[in-house]
Amino acid sequence: MAFPRTSLRAFLSLAKKSLSTTIESSGAVTIVVGNESADLDSLTASILYAYIRSSAPPEKAFTPLYIPLLNIPAKDISLRPEFKAVFHHANIDVSHLVTLDDLPTDRESELKPENTRIILVDHNSLQGELGKLYGSRVHGVVDHHEDEGTVISETEPEPRVIEKCGSCTSLVVRTLKSAWETSSDGSSLSSGGAHAQGDSVMNDATVIRTWDAQLAKMALASILVDTANLTAKGKVEKADTEAVKYLEAKINLSPQDAKRWDRSKFYDEINTAKRNIDELGFQDILRKDYKQWTENDLKLGIASVVKPLEFIVEKALGQTSADKEDEFVIAIGDFMADRDLTIFAIMTTSTSPLGEFQRELYLQALSAGHAAASAFTEQAGPELRLEDHSVAALSEKPGAMQPSSEGPW
């Protein structure tokens, strides 16, 4: 049974209340969750999937309502200024989101695995505490990373889509396009649904087009940011360009949205918000887009940062009483110790003084991870065109780090 079509705002409020009721009654629940970095792509992919599926669920759906879960505590949303920019266009608010804080403390007894089904978006291996408890309950995935082989091959009625793409949200759009069209034909809108959403001056068809436009702008935000407005060489795939075309068509069907739509202006707004991390502290910059996992008994962590390494090094200064040359290494070491990491990497994306797109990599390892770090630099170094530099030279010429007994690699 499909839920009557509502605005995105109303759907998220319903999902949050429904999860609370389900926990209290020990009922069944389907959760759509992105990766632990909880970046914009994970946010939009999970909400888009849950919203469309709930409006037009498959015949043998585990539950008729799909709950989009943001894989971070609510307090960490403030580290992502781009979210607020997107929410304005989608007519939603931070308070509407379902986060880890909405899950029970004693999850094993209050949100029983046997009553839970998990759909993954923007990753294909459930990590952390959720992975330990619900890893065997994953029955669907839409992802654009390398297949880790942890999701079962038969996931019907949910999809198993894992393929290279600029944005996971593009794959969600393609996968659920037919269901979206079904939910947009008006038949799933409850009688008086427009009035219930405060849109009393519009007829039902106009309301649905407005809701579709809001949903489309939310989805476009992550696709455009992840593909640099479809200009990122070697990253943009057919699914990305087709998704943008489809989503812009949705916007143009809404008269009030079409007359104001400017893709380049929209991209610049969201991308500027994402890169506005100047006020964040050193630790928060690393936590903003952070992932952690275990591989071959090594605990690995990676932080993606939208500023050059020079910016991060400057943020680290003053964190300890050490000399400038050692301070960055010590600050990274403290971050690793707090998370019991063996190897930690920072990947940056930024624009050079000449206006060119650039990436940088910093790798730091404990002694137990030196062999793995060395193997990585030897195998991937030529392909990634890594250059070795000392910590002292980072602010002048950042790049991959010179191995040393102090930890950086």
Side-chain angles (χ1 to χ4, degrees), residues 308 349-359:
T349 56
S350 60
T351 302
S352 73
L354 298 178
E356 299 176 339
F357 176 79
Q358 64 182 13
R359 291 180 182 272

Side-chain angles (χ1 to χ4, degrees), residues 360-383:
E360 297 163 299
L361 173 67
Y362 176 88
L363 196 63
Q364 185 159 318
L366 301 182
S367 58
H370 278 187
S374 178
F376 170 79
T377 54
E378 290 179 4
Q379 295 171 13
E383 180 181 352

Side-chain angles (χ1 to χ4, degrees), residues 180-311:
W180 191 341
E181 292 306 306
T182 297
S183 71
S184 297
D185 66 9
S187 62
S188 62
L189 182 66
S190 62
S191 177
H195 293 197
Q197 297 304 318
D199 298 317
S200 57
V201 298
M202 298 185 284
N203 60 36
D204 286 357
T206 303
V207 171
I208 289 179
R209 287 171 182 167
T210 299
W211 294 344
D212 277 349
Q214 292 170 348
L215 190 65
K217 283 185 281 188
M218 181 198 74
L220 276 165
S222 57
I223 298 173
L224 297 179
V225 166
D226 283 353
T227 64
N229 198 8
L230 298 181
T231 66
K233 295 180 180 179
K235 192 170 186 180
V236 180
E237 300 290 341
K238 182 179 180 181
D240 297 306
T241 57
E242 289 184 345
V244 169
K245 181 179 180 181
Y246 176 78
L247 295 169
E248 288 196 303
K250 287 290 187 185
I251 294 172
N252 289 326
L253 285 174
S254 172
Q256 66 181 22
D257 291 283
K259 64 184 179 183
R260 297 192 299 264
W261 176 245
D262 183 323
R263 190 214 294 178
S264 295
K265 184 178 179 181
F266 177 77
Y267 164 71
D268 288 341
E269 177 191 347
I270 306 302
N271 193 49
T272 298
K274 180 179 179 180
R275 295 180 179 279
N276 183 22
I277 61 173
D278 291 0
E279 301 304 315
L280 296 181
F282 175 74
Q283 291 267 340
D284 286 344
I285 288 171
L286 299 183
R287 289 197 305 117
K288 181 180 185 295
D289 191 347
Y290 173 77
K291 300 175 186 176
Q292 181 175 320
W293 69 101
T294 300
E295 187 173 325
N296 296 326
D297 296 325
L298 300 178
K299 289 188 177 182
L300 314 175
I302 185 167
S304 298
V305 182
V306 292
K307 293 281 189 178
L309 278 170
E310 176 185 1
F311 173 85

Side-chain angles (χ1 to χ4, degrees), residues 15 31 35 108 119 144 169 175 178 210 274 294 301 326:
I31 295 175
N35 63 51
E108 189 167 8
I119 313 298
H144 63 145
T169 301
T175 301
S178 177
T210 299
K274 180 179 179 180
T294 300
D326 298 327

Side-chain angles (χ1 to χ4, degrees), residues 16 21 24 31 33-34 52 54 71 87 117 121 144 154 184 219 234 244 261 282 285 289 298 304 317 332 394 404 407:
K16 196 161 191 170
T21 301
E24 291 177 1
I31 295 175
V33 60
I52 295 176
S54 297
N71 203 352
F87 293 166
R117 182 155 291 186
V121 292
H144 63 145
E154 297 297 330
S184 297
V244 169
W261 176 245
F282 175 74
I285 288 171
D289 191 347
L298 300 178
S304 298
L317 299 182
I332 293 294
L394 252 182
S404 80

